[in-house]
Amino acid sequence: MEKFSDALAAGLKNYRFSNADYQKLMNEALQDPDVESFLVQNQDQISQEGIDVSAAAIYEFYNQKKNGSEYTKNYDPKLIVSNHKIEVAYVPNQRKIASDNRKNYESGFALLDIAPDVRNASLNDYDGAGRQEAFAAAINFIDKYDPNGKFVPGLYLAGDFGVGKTYLLGAIANELYAQGVKSMMVHFPSFANDIKKGIRDNSVGDRVDRVKDTQILMIDDIGADSMSAWMRDEIFGVILQYRMQENLPTFFSSNFSMKELETYLADTTGGDHEPVKAARIMERVKYLSREVIVTGPNRRPKG
Ligand code: ADP
Ligand code: MG
């Protein structure tokens, strides 16, 4: 059987190309290894009548492959046979896939108000004195956690400002994400502000719902701002209560130890002293997470 590429080449000779560049490019195109192997594999399926369309497709394919365009930044051209003619299809390339993954990642792994360095945090460079225990606990969680399995408590990272608590939460979230587990991290003081805004437009319920249901929730910087009784009991407490009932692991970071957090939660912005309510919240925190003290130098860039 005659090779289709020969037929194509012969067919093309009959065309008078007004454009010498087109002719040259077409000749090159037929020598292109992708074009050649495509033709070898598919020649039986391509009809001679389709030469016009097919030649245009081969030209387009080769031109896009060679010269690219705004479009082919994200898509690779690919030759296909459709209805016995050659056509060009465009398939998302690595760059597009990476960017889609990135978008999925950012929507799945919602880092609300979290700095870029934390978005890129990795367990691979998490080291140093004072952090071994936290590191080991993080690895242990990642090993044990199974979305369909037994409940595994998250971590409560307690330690001074700048020791890398938020960074570690980000690194854990990234590692879980690589394993298909979605986390959401909320910077609690910012979240609390959003919630207050939500009172005005009646969206408090929605805002709470968005957070409480996530597979893994990371509450960053709990205790950094003073809290009203309402924020403590109706927002923080309700989220924790839900997660406890549903056995959803929850992580915390705080400058306070658990014990200090309890003291802090007892006193509200309204001036009330309510140790029993604070203790009730802490029961939930303790159910959902295990305390790990993080020490070490302040890693924040001085400035
Ligand atoms: P904390 O939440 O305990 O206050 P952060 O997690 O914000 O501390 O860390 C403080 C700074 O140190 C941040 O700029 C963070 O990116 C950086 N950092 C923390 N841990 C690491 C690490 N293992 N590798 C690189 N940078 C780190
Ligand atoms: Mg932090």
Side-chain angles (χ1 to χ4, degrees):
M1 192 189 153
E2 191 189 9
K3 270 170 67 191
F4 182 77
S5 53
D6 294 341
L8 191 62
L12 290 172
K13 285 213 185 75
N14 300 329
Y15 290 85
R16 287 191 178 279
F17 294 111
S18 52
N19 186 334
D21 290 342
Y22 179 93
Q23 176 82 63
K24 184 169 164 282
L25 195 86
M26 204 58 213
N27 288 334
E28 272 176 47
L30 291 171
Q31 317 275 317
D32 179 77
D34 289 339
V35 173
E36 276 189 334
S37 68
F38 172 82
L39 291 173
V40 168
Q41 278 168 35
N42 297 287
Q43 54 185 323
D44 297 350
Q45 299 176 53
I46 306 164
S47 67
Q48 304 279 325
E49 295 77 63
I51 280 190
D52 268 4
V53 176
S54 297
I58 287 175
Y59 174 83
E60 179 185 337
F61 169 81
Y62 184 71
N63 191 29
Q64 290 289 1
K65 181 181 151 181
K66 192 168 167 234
N67 301 317
S69 67
E70 197 48 35
Y71 187 64
T72 48
K73 270 200 323 219
N74 293 326
Y75 294 86
D76 287 335
K78 181 176 182 264
L79 292 170
I80 58 164
V81 180
S82 163
N83 220 351
H84 305 289
K85 295 185 205 71
I86 301 175
E87 285 182 10
V88 187
Y90 288 91
V91 287
N93 61 24
Q94 279 314 310
R95 179 194 162 102
K96 165 105 168 91
I97 291 165
S99 122
D100 285 354
N101 284 346
R102 187 82 211 157
K103 281 189 202 121
N104 288 340
Y105 168 82
E106 289 185 351
S107 57
F109 164 46
L111 286 173
L112 307 175
D113 308 301
I114 301 295
D117 56 340
V118 172
R119 285 176 179 261
N120 298 322
S122 161
L123 284 173
N124 293 331
D125 48 42
Y126 190 82
D127 52 17
R131 310 165 127 216
Q132 259 79 26
E133 193 192 344
F135 179 75
I139 298 290
N140 184 47
F141 177 86
I142 291 161
D143 273 356
K144 290 223 177 98
Y145 177 68
D146 170 1
N148 306 309
K150 231 175 113 242
F151 172 68
V152 184
L155 304 180
Y156 180 104
L157 302 177
D160 291 339
F161 183 79
V163 295
K165 303 179 298 295
T166 304
Y167 186 93
L168 181 57
L169 291 181
I172 295 169
N174 282 333
E175 184 58 36
L176 290 171
Y177 186 80
Q179 302 183 11
V181 176
K182 289 184 176 181
S183 311
M184 184 186 280
M185 192 189 304
V186 293
H187 179 242
F188 195 81
S190 315
F191 175 72
N193 278 332
D194 282 351
I195 288 288
K196 284 180 221 155
K197 282 187 215 140
I199 300 172
R200 261 175 266 147
D201 60 8
N202 227 347
S203 64
V204 171
D206 287 348
R207 286 170 198 264
V208 169
D209 286 350
R210 224 177 297 150
V211 165
K212 75 174 186 192
D213 239 350
T214 180
Q215 239 179 335
I216 305 280
L217 178 63
M218 298 180 162
I219 297 180
D220 192 34
D221 247 347
I222 186 71
D225 274 357
S226 50
M227 243 194 255
S228 65
W230 177 76
M231 191 64 71
R232 178 193 63 198
D233 301 328
E234 302 305 322
I235 306 296
F236 188 53
V238 164
I239 291 171
L240 301 184
Q241 175 68 21
Y242 179 85
R243 297 190 65 81
M244 199 171 130
Q245 273 163 7
E246 300 295 321
N247 274 326
L248 296 167
T250 307
F251 288 71
F252 303 86
S253 91
S254 182
N255 290 1
F256 291 143
S257 65
M258 282 188 175
K259 202 165 164 24
E260 288 164 341
L261 184 68
E262 180 160 352
T263 306
Y264 154 89
L265 287 173
D267 293 307
T268 70
T269 49
D272 294 319
H273 181 66
E274 300 174 319
V276 176
K277 288 194 172 165
R280 194 175 308 148
I281 301 278
M282 287 313 295
E283 273 168 31
R284 298 173 195 165
V285 172
K286 286 174 188 161
Y287 177 87
L288 290 166
S289 67
R290 294 291 166 269
E291 182 175 31
V292 181
I293 308 293
V294 189
T295 60
N298 183 345
R299 295 198 171 222
R300 281 187 202 232
K302 293 169 190 74

